Amino acid sequence: MKKFKFSIHPLFIVFVAALIYLGYFYVLLAYLITIVLHEFAHAFIANRLGYRLNHITLMPHGAALSGQNAFFSARDEILVAIAGPILNLILAVIGCALWWIWPESYAFTEQFVYANMVTAVLNCLPIFPLDGGRVVLALLSRNGNRTSAVKKIKVTGIIVSVSILVGFVITVFFVPNYTMLVFGSFLFVTALLEDKSAYYSHINLLESKAPFLARGLKIREIAVPETIELYKLFNAVTPDSLTDFNVIDKNYHIIGKITESELERLINLYPANTRLSIILNN
């Protein structure tokens, strides 16, 4: 997996300082570990499918994962989306099982188990940009326009977020629930703002070579087996050269050739983890 980069939103620092001041350090720590593991699960599956999502931004409402070459198909988008909640549920089950095996662990794992259960449930809500919302968005995009699907899912987000904020106003008359305020505000702002992560589109390989073209680009040839997955060709491409891939069979006979221009076309036609043998046979 590619090296991870972390960044921190300024409001996250304020949020953390406020929670520590209010005496919620251990709760904060449990949720912080939980959401980072949640994002790692997304990134792991994305990496296995051939995508590079390796930048985690810590924000007041949780964490956001981003990266390069996010050219998702609907199937891959769903697999990446559900990876986070599934890991959280697995960790929660392991934590509960640990209480039976080692009861003394309950004292310092209770918050962690609870954090994983809450994170899994909330992320399964069909609201963008939560994981459940991304699954719905992927399903709506399979047989329709992606831009139209984004607008539909965001309308749902506005309705739900307003409902949550109204719920917070009601709690003010009893015991204020500030979690509802933070969560509802996050969903509302996200629904209003343009989120480029909703429109997964890959980086053009040839455009990245423009700065090197004036000095001349090297021509490279690389032999790759027919069993290799499409996305792995991207890992062999460099911005300062043009690469041609000679596809060989088990007897080392060249059975096909893929240029970088052809690679650009293929990645829009096939899932990133498609083997070259399947592509060539088609």
Side-chain angles (χ1 to χ4, degrees):
M1 188 177 295
K2 300 292 182 180
K3 183 179 179 181
F4 264 84
K5 300 177 182 178
F6 285 87
S7 58
I8 299 176
H9 192 282
L11 290 179
F12 177 78
I13 299 175
V14 176
F15 185 68
V16 167
L19 288 180
I20 293 176
Y21 176 78
L22 294 173
Y24 292 104
F25 174 77
Y26 290 108
V27 175
L28 171 66
L29 183 62
Y31 274 93
L32 183 59
I33 294 174
T34 296
I35 60 176
V36 170
L37 291 175
H38 177 98
E39 300 303 333
F40 272 137
H42 288 313
F44 176 77
I45 297 301
N47 182 73
R48 297 294 298 174
L49 293 173
Y51 307 121
R52 303 176 197 170
L53 298 181
N54 59 350
H55 185 187
I56 294 179
T57 302
L58 297 178
M59 306 178 76
H61 57 267
L65 180 67
S66 58
Q68 295 180 332
N69 290 352
F71 31 78
F72 287 91
S73 65
R75 168 187 170 276
D76 291 347
E77 185 174 2
I78 292 173
L79 290 176
V80 172
I82 65 176
I86 288 177
L87 176 65
N88 291 138
L89 290 175
I90 291 174
L91 291 175
V93 170
I94 291 175
C96 291
L98 190 61
W99 297 342
W100 289 86
I101 301 171
W102 183 25
E104 293 80 3
S105 67
Y106 179 84
F108 54 87
T109 58
E110 177 190 9
Q111 286 294 347
F112 181 70
V113 171
Y114 182 72
N116 275 280
M117 293 176 63
V118 170
T119 301
V121 171
L122 288 180
N123 272 280
C124 285
L125 295 176
I127 308 168
F128 186 85
L130 300 179
D131 298 326
R134 291 192 180 277
V135 171
V136 173
L137 178 57
L139 293 174
L140 291 175
S141 302
R142 296 180 76 173
N143 300 312
N145 182 275
R146 179 79 174 189
T147 302
S148 175
V150 170
K151 291 179 179 178
K152 291 178 182 178
I153 198 70
K154 286 199 171 192
V155 169
T156 303
I158 291 175
I159 295 173
V160 173
S161 61
V162 170
S163 301
I164 294 174
L165 291 174
V166 170
F168 164 72
V169 173
I170 295 175
T171 66
V172 170
F173 297 98
F174 304 96
V175 180
N177 188 324
Y178 293 105
T179 299
M180 293 180 69
L181 173 62
V182 173
F183 188 58
S185 299
F186 157 65
L187 292 178
F188 184 75
V189 171
T190 302
L192 292 180
L193 296 178
E194 184 76 5
D195 186 352
K196 292 183 178 179
S197 68
Y199 306 90
Y200 294 120
S201 60
H202 73 85
I203 295 174
N204 190 299
L205 291 176
L206 301 180
E207 287 180 359
S208 67
K209 302 178 186 299
F212 300 91
L213 185 57
R215 295 178 300 191
L217 291 172
K218 295 180 293 184
I219 303 295
R220 303 165 63 227
E221 280 196 294
I222 298 178
V224 294
E226 62 178 333
T227 55
I228 196 172
E229 296 168 319
L230 183 61
Y231 77 88
K232 292 184 179 179
L233 301 189
F234 279 84
N235 296 332
V237 171
T238 60
D240 61 346
S241 65
L242 283 174
T243 305
D244 293 334
F245 297 93
N246 292 316
V247 184
I248 60 176
D249 60 18
K250 60 182 180 180
N251 296 317
Y252 293 91
H253 296 144
I254 297 177
I255 58 175
K257 186 172 185 177
I258 297 177
T259 64
E260 284 194 38
S261 297
E262 183 70 5
L263 184 57
E264 286 281 355
R265 186 182 69 84
L266 293 175
I267 204 63
N268 288 308
L269 295 176
Y270 297 92
N273 61 338
T274 305
R275 297 186 183 278
L276 296 188
S277 56
I278 296 176
I279 295 174
L280 293 177
N281 287 333
N282 290 336

